[in-house]
Amino acid sequence: MELSTIFIWMHTFFGYFIIFYMILIIGIYSSMLIFAYFYMKKGLRLDKIADNDKSLKMIYSKPVSIIVPAYNEELGVIDTIHSLLTLEYPQFEIIVVNDGSKDGTLQTVIDHFKMRQVHRTIKRDLSTKEVRGIYESDLHPNIVLVDKVNGGKADALNVGINISLYPYFCSIDGDSILSTTSLLRVMQPIISSNDDVIAAGGSVRIANGADVQMGTVVDSVIPNNPFVIMQIIEYLRAFYMGRIALSKFNLVLIISGAFSVFSKKWVIKAGGYSVNTIGEDMELVVKLHRYMLDHKLKKRIEFVPDPVCWTEAPDNLQDLRTQRRRWHQGLLGSLMIHKKMTFNPKYKQIGLISFPYFWLVEFFGPIIELLGYLYIIISFMAGELYIDSAIILTTLFLVYSTFLSMFAILLEAWSINTYPRIRDVFKLIGFSLSETFWFRPLTIFFRLEGIIYYLRKREDWGQLKRRGLSKKEEESKQAV
């Protein structure tokens, strides 16, 4: 067989394969987006204030321990704690776990909240690194600070679980801020389910560029940094096109580690957070599903789109690379640890739908997309014979990353309206038009790097540079 014939055959095969894959993915995401539209439309009819009041009356038996793992979070941890102190929730404690920070995180919290060292009994439900000291605040009795030997985020969360007093815990990143009703709303499915719901996660929004004062986002503004803008678009697309639909059918394998609540009893039975994996948030959710199905227990894990957690996103290429690489490395790690669940009828919808979906869409997605970009480049270089297929695939990429993003942006503006300015909505839509041509190819390479790290057994979490969220507040102080 001549080389030209082999090339034509291979080119045609890859062309049809990638086009079929993209049509399948677009179909899946379009269905999810339509489902999200009707879900959000139904939610708009609800009186959320009355719903919050009803939950407050029901909630006396479900106090929550809020665990804040902090490693080198000196710039943002005070804002995070202030935001937690403003929460509309009748009974909660705040446990800040300093995971052996090398900056001034520990002393900053001690000084700001007048902390004093105390003796407190530590349960040993989960094995952890050594705790060096426990502090309580003279200003706010519900704030506890734990100083421990560095062991990673998962180990810090396990320490918080051991020390916590209450039957439910909320994990929140040390650089994140909650809206005042966020905890109340994310707890609603747990409150109303008669303990059938054992975990729930909320939406995450990016706070870069927002006006943050005393732990409260007083004005949400779209910044000018293109990396941050593209991540805002990504977050909207991920939450609206994926998690709402997956949650409805109890298919969620990921709820954001930046903001999620769990039943402590079931987490301990499942073994707590895994310290030997990079993606500890996904790994815990998968472990919970697996434990419930192994023991034939009917429990649910839900995503609640309304409660919002604000977090700091990478604003430069290197930090974005580190984040996306470790996300994909963590995804592959969890899928491989529990690979026997894939297509296994024993694990019902998780094994037959969730795992195949995450393998096909989330894991293999960047590999096939890279092949698609290479196919388009080769097709345009090969001449007129392949132009039509290249145009078809380019159009599918645009539909996938641009038009679906635009619908997600409009859905958010219509329902929750986090960014109320019309110009901000048009700014997001304008940037979504460019995603296919620069941002998506970049993140594909970063995610592929995560696969390489996993195959080489490089357990490197990486460190993101924090700049803090109260920039406008600090700027105003400096001006005075």
Side-chain angles (χ1 to χ4, degrees), residues 64-69 84 153 157 161 168-173 176 178 182-183 185-187 190 198-204 239 243 252-264 267 273 280-282 284-285 288 301-304 307-309:
V64 177
S65 299
I66 304 173
I67 304 173
V68 186
L84 299 177
K153 182 180 177 182
L157 287 164
I161 293 170
Y168 293 87
F169 72 89
C170 170
S171 67
I172 175 172
D173 285 349
S176 299
L178 295 184
S182 293
L183 183 59
R185 290 182 180 174
V186 81
M187 281 292 291
I190 294 174
I198 60 170
S203 293
V204 177
F239 285 115
R243 298 188 189 179
V252 172
L253 293 188
I254 299 175
I255 53 177
S256 177
F259 178 40
S260 47
V261 293
F262 298 89
S263 169
K264 185 167 71 173
V267 168
Y273 286 92
E280 77 289 326
D281 45 359
M282 176 180 177
L284 178 61
V285 174
L288 285 169
I301 296 173
E302 294 197 0
F303 166 71
V304 188
V308 171
C309 169

Side-chain angles (χ1 to χ4, degrees), residues 190-438:
I190 294 174
I191 296 164
S192 59
S193 72
N194 194 27
D195 294 329
D196 287 337
V197 176
I198 60 170
S203 293
V204 177
R205 296 289 182 271
I206 292 174
N208 301 53
D211 186 359
V212 180
Q213 298 181 16
M214 293 299 292
T216 300
V217 176
V218 298
D219 189 17
S220 55
V221 180
I222 302 296
N224 293 320
N225 186 307
F227 290 112
V228 176
I229 294 173
M230 297 311 300
Q231 288 173 87
I232 292 173
I233 295 170
E234 269 194 325
Y235 276 49
L236 294 178
R237 187 173 64 231
F239 285 115
Y240 283 110
M241 289 201 318
R243 298 188 189 179
I244 291 177
L246 292 173
S247 174
K248 173 65 177 177
F249 302 101
N250 198 23
L251 298 170
V252 172
L253 293 188
I254 299 175
I255 53 177
S256 177
F259 178 40
S260 47
V261 293
F262 298 89
S263 169
K264 185 167 71 173
K265 174 180 71 175
W266 295 112
V267 168
I268 291 172
K269 287 186 176 182
Y273 286 92
S274 298
V275 297
N276 296 320
T277 59
I278 284 183
E280 77 289 326
D281 45 359
M282 176 180 177
E283 176 63 14
L284 178 61
V285 174
V286 176
K287 284 170 67 175
L288 285 169
H289 277 301
R290 186 169 185 171
Y291 181 90
M292 299 305 159
L293 291 167
D294 280 338
H295 292 82
K296 297 180 170 55
L297 299 169
K298 292 184 178 180
K299 303 293 182 181
R300 292 182 55 82
I301 296 173
E302 294 197 0
F303 166 71
V304 188
D306 195 9
V308 171
C309 169
W310 297 87
T311 191
E312 184 179 2
D315 61 2
N316 60 81
L317 188 62
Q318 182 56 48
D319 285 349
L320 179 66
R321 174 186 177 185
T322 299
Q323 182 195 65
R324 298 313 165 92
R325 184 264 302 161
R326 73 189 189 192
W327 280 4
H328 212 66
Q329 186 178 357
L331 167 71
L332 179 55
S334 287
L335 291 175
M336 288 299 294
I337 289 170
H338 304 280
K339 58 183 179 294
K340 80 169 194 175
M341 295 176 70
T342 308
F343 292 118
N344 190 335
K346 174 184 176 181
Y347 296 103
K348 299 183 179 179
Q349 74 274 15
I350 298 298
L352 298 176
I353 301 175
S354 284
F355 264 76
Y357 167 82
F358 275 85
W359 276 113
L360 177 66
V361 178
E362 301 294 342
F363 172 68
F364 283 111
I367 299 173
I368 297 175
E369 284 185 61
L370 176 61
L371 292 175
Y373 278 106
L374 294 174
Y375 177 87
I376 290 171
I377 294 170
I378 293 171
S379 295
F380 277 115
M381 292 174 60
E384 282 188 29
L385 181 62
Y386 307 105
I387 292 295
D388 289 345
S389 56
I391 291 173
I392 291 172
L393 191 53
T394 302
T395 303
L396 290 174
F397 276 147
L398 286 170
V399 171
Y400 174 53
S401 62
T402 299
F403 292 105
L404 291 179
S405 294
M406 289 171 60
F407 281 119
I409 293 165
L410 293 172
L411 180 59
E412 203 281 341
W414 168 70
S415 56
I416 297 178
N417 198 26
T418 305
Y419 308 101
R421 295 176 179 82
I422 295 296
R423 67 174 180 269
D424 283 343
V425 175
F426 278 106
K427 191 175 186 178
L428 290 174
I429 292 174
F431 267 86
S432 71
L433 296 172
S434 70
E435 183 177 4
T436 301
F437 303 103
W438 72 280

